[in-house]
Amino acid sequence: MAEAASSRSLRQFDQAMREYLRYNQREAGPLIENRAKKVQWELYRQFKSIAPTRDKIEQEAAARGYAIRRRKGADGKSLSVKQELALRKRSIRYLSVSYLFRAWRSNRDGQNARHNATSRRNRKIGEALIRTAKGQRHPSVRISSFLEGVMVQNRQRGLVDKALRAQSTDMKTYIRRKQQEALKRTVGRIFV
């Protein structure tokens, strides 16, 4: 996704992920995949919260006197206002759904796979590229959305940054808890 996240929030997430991997006893691939699913779910929640309702779309069009920007259809002709509103009402769920890939199912050993999210017309609107199989040298997950609305909303609201910050905070909480447990064990051995 173009302009997906600021470099600062990405650096913070990467740093938290490195520490998280150090404190967790499981293999890196499945851990990264699990964390990517949490980022994905947070993105879904962020986009779902801003998606307008069908009534809101109709009210906005009425407030503008139905002078709305119209797209061209598959045949190259401009859509009527009625057709454009119908398309907008049907497509509001794709802003959030493009991040929720139903095909993305993991097993305990991780996986290497590519999953696509498609619209009703079988157009590719999102993709998850997963490289987390056991023994993978550099496990990674890439989540992409190809919808213009996703990019515009992210640019305006920083939704990807918010999702990354939320997951960084979650990982840091886990790390602090593990550090406190290790400290208690060490202090307990010293005074025994």
Side-chain angles (χ1 to χ4, degrees), residues 125-138:
I125 60 172
E127 173 183 72
L129 182 61
I130 304 162
R131 292 188 177 124
T132 58
K134 222 173 196 176
Q136 182 85 27
R137 284 182 65 104
H138 302 289

Side-chain angles (χ1 to χ4, degrees), residues 85-172:
L85 288 176
L87 271 177
R88 288 182 186 191
K89 288 176 187 176
R90 272 187 304 201
S91 66
I92 56 175
R93 67 188 193 94
Y94 289 125
L95 269 182
S96 53
V97 170
S98 69
Y99 283 109
L100 199 60
F101 306 104
R102 291 190 177 112
W104 184 357
R105 293 186 178 92
S106 68
N107 57 41
R108 291 185 184 167
D109 297 332
Q111 59 184 348
N112 284 347
R114 169 179 263 142
H115 299 294
N116 296 322
T118 55
S119 68
R120 288 181 185 156
R121 293 183 178 180
N122 274 343
R123 289 192 183 135
K124 189 173 168 183
I125 60 172
E127 173 183 72
L129 182 61
I130 304 162
R131 292 188 177 124
T132 58
K134 222 173 196 176
Q136 182 85 27
R137 284 182 65 104
H138 302 289
S140 64
V141 174
R142 187 181 78 201
I143 303 169
S144 305
S145 180
F146 308 123
L147 294 173
E148 180 185 356
V150 169
M151 291 182 264
V152 168
Q153 292 301 320
N154 180 53
R155 220 178 2 259
Q156 291 174 353
R157 300 169 192 252
L159 300 174
V160 174
D161 283 336
K162 288 178 187 175
L164 289 175
R165 281 194 305 268
Q167 292 308 308
S168 295
T169 302
D170 186 50
M171 285 187 285
K172 287 175 184 176

Side-chain angles (χ1 to χ4, degrees), residues 55-89:
D55 292 338
K56 190 171 182 180
I57 291 170
E58 188 66 47
Q59 288 168 1
E60 181 184 336
R64 293 182 181 184
Y66 293 95
I68 59 174
R69 184 178 66 108
R70 293 182 281 160
R71 294 175 268 189
K72 295 191 184 238
D75 58 0
K77 295 180 182 176
S78 287
L79 300 173
S80 70
V81 171
K82 186 177 179 180
Q83 290 171 318
E84 177 64 28
L85 288 176
L87 271 177
R88 288 182 186 191
K89 288 176 187 176

Side-chain angles (χ1 to χ4, degrees), residues 23-37:
Y23 280 97
N24 207 302
Q25 300 300 314
R26 294 175 17 212
E27 188 172 337
L31 277 175
I32 289 173
E33 185 175 343
N34 185 25
R35 190 50 60 174
K37 283 183 182 182

